[in-house]
Amino acid sequence: MILVTGASGNLGTSVIENLLKQVPASEIAGLFRNPDKAKTFSEQGINVRIGDYENKALLTKAFYGIDKLLLISSSGNDALTAHKNAIDAAKEVGVKHIYYTSGALNTNVSHSQLGPLADAYLTTENYIKASGMTYTIFQNALYAETIPFFVGEKVLETGIYLPAGNSKASFATRGDMAEAIANVIASDGHDNKTYVTSALPSYSFTEIAGILSELSGKKVSYTNAEPNDYENRLRAANVDEESIWYLSLLTAIIKNNEYDIASSDLEQLLGRKPTDLKTYLKETFLA
Ligand SMILES: NC(=O)c1ccc[n+]([C@@H]2O[C@H](COP(=O)([O-])OP(=O)(O)OC[C@H]3O[C@@H](n4cnc5c(N)ncnc54)[C@H](OP(=O)(O)O)[C@@H]3O)[C@@H](O)[C@H]2O)c1
């Protein structure tokens, strides 16, 4: 039995949809913390397990009888404790293979800006490796779907104003990552491997503005903002403090080149070229 955590979320739902093309529903389970969100899944014959990353006892119960566990990273305040609870519970009940969605990182930088994300990425990966379970790690690039969050939905009118410098970051669509993850879980030959699931090439926001200009026929500018001015502008636009914090963290990481990593792993796992960023931008901002 395969269990996907975060089953009600964007990535988890998409992984399950892709698994269903290769594996009978009766061999797939989803972890939900809210049973109301599980209804459409149980109607398809998917096993529903209830659990919360913050409650290890409940996770142990939920993971009973699972052979392959996909741990989708938590975005909570204490992701490391959440992940440790899930990893410890998996080990306790004898899960044979744990899969984990980490982050695609260029570690060849000085003065890392990762802050708390270092725990969600690097510390968790090390904890999984030390657990002794067979593992597969997906170092996911930034979701292309984060771009509207960075640039705003009216980017064609407003231009891009971000403190991301001229550094490049690797992006891939969440759908492509989910398909690749499902392909790996449904097949053999991935024991103790780490894949960088990112599309090639990487792009800077100057280049993203250039693509949007080309697609729209309008000049879309990119302004490399000062971090304080950027935060003040978001505050003046009534953006909530949590989003301001997260956007500032991610743009600082991008500016420090930590999301700039090249790999053809995603293409290999998909058996086709991943969706290119121009196509994603066209479908998102010009449809
Ligand atoms: N690579 C990137 O660009 C990027 C960007 C953003 C996030 N991420 C990471 O990737 C993960 C998956 O992305 P996504 O788009 O699928 O996120 P999402 O749509 O927000 O889904 C998160 C899932 O995690 C579940 N969850 C949250 N807290 C939990 C807890 N304490 N116990 C059990 N389940 C919990 C949520 O359940 P509920 O439905 O009950 O809330 C939901 O199913 C995120 O959690 C985050 O760590 C990556």
Side-chain angles (χ1 to χ4, degrees), residues 4-36:
V4 177
T5 73
S8 55
N10 292 296
L11 186 66
T13 299
S14 187
V15 169
I16 290 177
E17 280 165 7
N18 280 285
L19 278 173
L20 280 170
K21 295 174 191 162
Q22 308 187 52
V23 179
S26 58
E27 289 174 27
I28 303 172
L31 183 82
F32 300 84
R33 54 176 174 175
N34 177 353
D36 294 345

Side-chain angles (χ1 to χ4, degrees), residues 5-12 31 33-34 37 51-54 72-75 101 121 140-143 146 174 177 246:
T5 73
S8 55
N10 292 296
L11 186 66
L31 183 82
R33 54 176 174 175
N34 177 353
K37 295 191 180 177
D52 191 308
Y53 293 150
E54 287 171 26
I72 290 189
S73 59
S74 162
S75 55
T101 62
Y121 293 165
N140 285 347
L142 284 169
Y143 299 151
T146 58
R174 205 160 24 206
M177 293 187 208
Y246 196 47

Side-chain angles (χ1 to χ4, degrees), residues 21-259:
K21 295 174 191 162
Q22 308 187 52
V23 179
S26 58
E27 289 174 27
I28 303 172
L31 183 82
F32 300 84
R33 54 176 174 175
N34 177 353
D36 294 345
K37 295 191 180 177
K39 200 163 171 276
T40 53
F41 295 84
S42 60
E43 282 166 3
Q44 293 176 79
I46 287 160
N47 261 265
V48 171
R49 306 280 177 103
I50 304 299
D52 191 308
Y53 293 150
E54 287 171 26
N55 184 336
K56 198 193 137 205
L58 214 51
L59 290 177
T60 309
K61 209 169 146 205
F63 294 168
Y64 186 76
I66 298 301
D67 305 302
K68 296 179 172 186
L69 175 84
L70 172 63
L71 172 59
I72 290 189
S73 59
S74 162
S75 55
N77 288 337
D78 188 359
L80 184 59
T81 303
H83 297 157
K84 282 182 170 175
N85 283 341
I87 297 159
D88 291 344
K91 192 172 175 187
E92 214 169 296
V93 300
V95 165
K96 294 191 181 72
H97 193 141
I98 185 162
Y99 302 79
Y100 177 61
T101 62
S102 181
L105 288 185
N106 167 19
T107 50
N108 197 15
V109 295
S110 45
H111 307 299
S112 171
Q113 300 297 308
L114 281 177
L117 289 189
D119 275 347
Y121 293 165
L122 310 172
T123 316
T124 301
E125 287 188 20
N126 290 334
Y127 197 76
I128 288 173
K129 288 175 184 168
S131 75
M133 281 183 284
T134 301
Y135 66 84
T136 306
I137 291 166
F138 303 99
Q139 294 179 332
N140 285 347
L142 284 169
Y143 299 151
E145 289 79 0
T146 58
I147 292 176
F149 181 58
F150 285 122
V151 304
E153 288 178 1
K154 297 212 163 82
V155 61
L156 300 184
E157 285 85 56
T158 60
I160 303 174
Y161 182 82
L162 274 182
N166 275 316
S167 306
K168 293 177 192 254
S170 65
F171 295 93
T173 65
R174 205 160 24 206
D176 280 351
M177 293 187 208
E179 186 180 328
I181 291 169
N183 288 348
V184 168
I185 296 174
S187 61
D188 295 326
H190 308 286
D191 291 6
N192 303 329
K193 296 225 167 115
T194 298
Y195 296 113
V196 178
T197 33
S198 73
L200 292 171
S202 300
Y203 290 92
S204 66
F205 280 97
T206 311
E207 289 168 324
I208 290 173
I211 297 171
L212 289 171
S213 301
E214 185 194 324
L215 288 171
S216 65
K218 297 181 196 171
K219 172 74 189 153
V220 178
S221 62
Y222 168 64
T223 307
N224 176 21
E226 278 302 315
N228 283 340
D229 293 346
Y230 172 68
E231 290 192 10
N232 289 338
R233 195 188 272 211
L234 292 178
R235 226 160 257 131
N238 291 322
V239 175
D240 64 277
E241 285 300 319
E242 197 180 333
S243 299
I244 295 175
W245 175 84
Y246 196 47
L247 281 162
S248 299
L249 175 68
L250 292 179
T251 46
I253 299 170
I254 293 172
K255 190 173 183 176
N256 201 35
N257 297 303
E258 288 178 81
Y259 278 121

